[in-house]
Amino acid sequence: MPIELPDITVICPDPAVEHVFSSIHQRWEQLVKTSPPYSKGELFSLPFPYVVPGGVYQQLFYWDSYFIILGLNISRLHELARSIVNNFFYELKTFGIIPNSSELAHLSRSQPPLLTSMIEEVWRGDKEWLRSAYEWAKIEYKEVWMDETTHYHPQIGLNKYYDRLESMLRVKGEAYLHFDEMYIPPAFWHERVEAESGWDYTGRFHRQCGYFIPVDLNALLYKYETDLAAFARLLALNGEAEQWEQAAKRRKDLMNQYLWNEPFGMYFDFHFLNGRQHCYYSLAAFYPLWARAASKQQAAKVVRHLPLFLQPGGLAASNVQTGFQWDFPNGWAPLHWIVIKGLQNYGYDLEAQEIARRWIRLCTKVYLETGNMYEKYNVVDMSIRTVGRYPSQKGFGWTNAVYQKIAVDLLGCTVC
């Protein structure tokens, strides 16, 4: 769909970065889609324009969109950014969930909950819109993530990922196939749950994602609660704000109990059936820093582990080579932004700058060689020779956006 791109001028200290940045701005148009007014093929209809990742991914994805919005705002595509969030409100109204993507087969699961973070980026002082957005966010929080039959573990008081296989309808041509959970092999169900985590796939979860209390999910929901408290304050709903603040405090206390490992100085996922942490080193441990859920002492201990992940092209998702794409040696734009922002939150600006320089150098090198941005990269050999079940896709929404955000916030680029 053609859009009217704002006429911007990009100025960067590095001419190569300036060239790539300007090219990204021009390429947003290629990733904008509009649904027909009816569901078609494998995709359901959406009322507003949206941005797709690229490559084989030509649908609206939930967690991708937060990172994409960061770039759209830098490119001054503010209305497009808000239209993406309005589509998520439509999905909540229509399906009772923000699905993994706008593909019919993805209606049984969601993705990492970043709705309030998107609202924070796009509300731009419009309190009437914020009032409505606040109500939609409360619905997602209470009816999806705090549902004791799916995503909330009431005995532990923290959250897990899930997949509603029993209610899934998959459309293939004119055939509607209904899957009943009781006939689904456990391994297949866990695989689908892991897809909801966004980390599909990784050694973090031992192929049993449905039995884990993940660090990143609970950090995201801590941020969700603090965001809702901030929105409530802005809307003069002080009683509700206090309730959200209490919920966030309770979650942080439980994260410290179940997910923080003091001897290792690290956050780890908790296997609730086994009753123990899975001591697997991954960038998920930096989510509490991004969400400001860590103490200064905890942040300092987590930061000491950066050398486990730091490579010539930035950060590997983990320090373990499993053959899965969310592990070593692959690096991902969203994880780079989470870590960089988390480091900045606690005053580790030099570390953030170094990671930013390495990641931008890798993305710039590959772009100049190929003319494309990619979904994921090999941060060890500075290439797109990644591991996983499929090749790195061209496009690419969240890589484009994080490149822009890092270039402006950390590397001295300006947009005018």
Side-chain angles (χ1 to χ4, degrees):
M1 170 198 170
I3 57 171
E4 188 173 340
L5 278 173
D7 187 13
I8 67 172
T9 300
V10 180
I11 302 171
C12 298
D14 184 338
V17 173
E18 185 175 303
H19 168 68
V20 175
F21 193 123
S22 298
S23 299
I24 287 171
H25 175 71
Q26 295 299 322
R27 291 189 179 201
W28 281 126
E29 185 176 14
Q30 301 172 17
L31 297 176
V32 179
K33 305 292 179 183
T34 300
S35 295
Y38 50 86
S39 296
K40 183 179 181 181
E42 296 179 353
L43 303 183
F44 55 78
S45 180
L46 292 165
F48 305 105
Y50 54 93
V51 177
V52 302
V56 298
Y57 300 114
Q58 296 295 310
Q59 64 266 59
L60 174 67
F61 279 85
Y62 183 3
W63 83 307
D64 292 61
S65 294
Y66 167 65
F67 303 98
I68 287 170
I69 283 170
L70 298 178
L72 295 180
N73 281 342
I74 289 173
S75 281
R76 299 181 181 173
L77 290 163
H78 302 300
E79 289 305 312
L80 177 59
R82 187 181 289 192
S83 77
I84 291 172
V85 182
N86 285 333
N87 276 321
F88 292 138
F89 300 157
Y90 168 82
E91 290 179 345
L92 278 169
K93 180 180 180 181
T94 306
F95 306 114
I97 190 174
I98 299 176
N100 183 154
S101 83
S102 57
E103 185 177 337
L104 288 163
H106 289 170
L107 286 171
S108 66
R109 62 175 181 261
S110 187
Q111 268 195 328
L114 282 154
L115 181 61
T116 59
S117 294
M118 288 187 256
I119 292 169
E120 183 180 38
E121 292 293 329
V122 306
W123 80 281
R124 298 177 62 78
D126 183 346
K127 283 197 175 181
E128 284 309 304
W129 185 87
L130 179 64
R131 192 176 302 277
S132 173
Y134 173 67
E135 294 301 322
W136 283 118
K138 287 197 298 184
I139 288 171
E140 191 202 19
Y141 176 86
K142 293 177 180 178
E143 298 186 10
V144 178
W145 297 103
M146 298 307 287
D147 184 342
E148 294 185 6
T149 66
T150 59
H151 292 91
Y152 179 68
H153 195 298
Q155 286 74 42
I156 292 175
L158 292 172
N159 291 76
K160 55 192 174 70
Y161 286 111
Y162 194 79
D163 186 283
R164 295 175 172 88
L165 277 175
E166 74 280 3
S167 62
M168 187 189 80
L169 288 174
R170 180 178 294 173
V171 180
K172 290 186 177 179
E174 297 180 356
Y176 290 79
L177 304 177
H178 184 263
F179 290 84
D180 188 321
E181 188 171 9
M182 71 179 66
Y183 299 114
I184 298 297
F188 180 62
W189 180 73
H190 284 295
E191 184 174 289
R192 294 181 62 88
V193 175
E194 196 163 331
E196 184 176 76
S197 79
W199 289 56
D200 46 335
Y201 298 99
T202 171
R204 276 178 62 194
F205 301 122
H206 273 315
R207 316 304 289 147
Q208 294 184 335
C209 187
Y211 298 154
F212 274 89
I213 304 292
V215 170
D216 42 355
L217 173 58
N218 284 280
L220 287 167
L221 288 170
Y222 174 85
K223 172 116 179 351
Y224 210 117
E225 290 156 351
T226 59
D227 286 343
L228 288 173
F231 299 158
R233 294 281 183 204
L234 286 165
L235 298 169
L237 302 171
N238 292 330
E240 290 190 27
E242 290 175 4
Q243 292 174 9
W244 293 121
E245 288 160 359
Q246 291 168 6
K249 182 183 182 305
R250 181 167 59 251
R251 183 178 300 275
K252 179 159 65 173
D253 290 343
L254 290 169
M255 288 173 65
N256 286 335
Q257 179 180 344
Y258 287 100
L259 306 177
W260 175 249
N261 188 306
E262 181 61 27
F264 286 86
M266 197 63 166
Y267 288 99
F268 296 120
D269 306 310
F270 182 81
H271 193 294
F272 58 80
L273 287 191
N274 294 340
R276 61 176 182 266
Q277 293 175 346
H278 182 199
C279 296
Y280 193 93
Y281 289 87
S282 80
L283 295 183
F286 287 82
Y287 274 73
L289 280 65
W290 174 81
R292 300 181 189 270
S295 68
K296 289 182 179 180
Q297 293 76 19
Q298 288 171 320
K301 292 177 180 179
V302 171
V303 171
R304 290 175 196 158
H305 293 94
L306 271 176
L308 294 176
F309 311 105
L310 192 61
Q311 300 295 331
L315 299 169
S318 79
N319 73 330
V320 183
Q321 189 160 9
T322 61
F324 296 128
Q325 67 175 356
W326 286 87
D327 282 313
F328 183 92
N330 289 2
W332 296 80
L335 297 184
H336 277 77
W337 180 248
I338 292 290
V339 174
I340 286 169
K341 186 60 178 175
L343 292 171
Q344 289 181 314
N345 285 344
Y346 290 83
Y348 294 97
D349 296 325
L350 292 177
E351 290 84 352
Q353 286 277 349
E354 181 59 28
I355 293 166
R357 282 193 294 267
R358 294 188 188 205
W359 177 250
I360 293 294
R361 185 166 61 239
L362 167 57
C363 295
T364 303
K365 171 185 177 290
V366 171
Y367 186 88
L368 295 177
E369 291 171 350
T370 67
N372 292 296
M373 304 293 280
Y374 287 86
E375 174 195 23
K376 56 185 180 281
Y377 296 82
N378 183 320
V379 295
V380 177
D381 69 11
M382 302 277 287
S383 75
I384 53 169
R385 291 187 289 271
T386 53
V387 300
R389 57 199 173 97
Y390 61 87
S392 187
Q393 296 297 302
K394 299 176 184 177
F396 195 87
W398 62 20
T399 310
N400 298 356
V402 170
Y403 189 101
Q404 289 180 298
K405 186 68 171 170
I406 289 175
V408 168
D409 284 13
L410 288 99
L411 300 183
C413 293
T414 58
V415 177
C416 53

